[in-house]
Amino acid sequence: MSADTQMNTGASISGTATPVSTERFLTFTCDGLNIGVSTNYVIEIITDHSITMVPLAPDYLKGIISIRGQVIPIIDIRLRMGKLPIEYTSTTCIILLDINDVQLGILVDAVQQVMDVDQSQVSPVPVEQQQELIRGMVSSGNNSVILFLDCERLIETY
């Protein structure tokens, strides 16, 4: 079990202890959606870095960056999810991820917060609203929903 995944004990209705699994997520926005990515995958957040364009690449692959001698591809997650492009702003940033030893960066509209999510509260996305890179969702309590990025699927398809 990783340092970011904890096992807590919660009381069930019958009074016996049931394990509750929580995981930490970094949340960000993309086209008005709140999306979470497991902190198990997050290396760092970069707010100001020059991206070198790559010829003949799909439109969502914005290019590459060099960090500490490593060349890392950068994906505009908005474009990868089929959303319309926007002008980058001062809140636009890159979240560097390490997914099964594959490093890549995702360009997001804005980073929000780190939060603990009870995995038993995560629900599947309704069929009519499913997107290939989303693995589940949870209500965040203030009339909004947080979607969870399927990082394994992201590296399979980029």
Side-chain angles (χ1 to χ4, degrees), residues 67-147:
I67 299 283
R68 293 179 285 285
Q70 287 193 305
V71 175
I72 300 173
I74 303 300
I75 295 172
D76 186 325
I77 199 69
R78 170 186 280 275
L79 297 177
R80 180 60 187 87
M81 293 177 74
K83 307 294 183 185
L84 295 174
I86 62 166
E87 290 274 325
Y88 299 139
T89 67
S90 61
T91 62
T92 304
C93 59
I94 298 169
I95 302 173
L96 288 185
L97 304 173
D98 186 326
I99 307 162
N100 300 332
D101 295 325
V102 174
Q103 292 190 352
L104 63 97
I106 56 173
L107 198 58
V108 302
D109 295 352
V111 169
Q112 294 179 311
Q113 65 181 343
V114 173
M115 62 186 294
D116 291 326
V117 175
D118 179 349
Q119 293 299 296
S120 69
Q121 300 298 312
V122 176
S123 305
V125 177
V127 173
E128 65 275 1
Q129 296 177 344
Q130 280 186 350
Q131 294 191 5
E132 70 173 312
L133 297 179
I134 302 300
R135 67 172 181 85
M137 63 184 205
V138 70
S139 173
S140 65
N142 55 356
N143 262 354
S144 67
V145 170
I146 297 172
L147 304 172

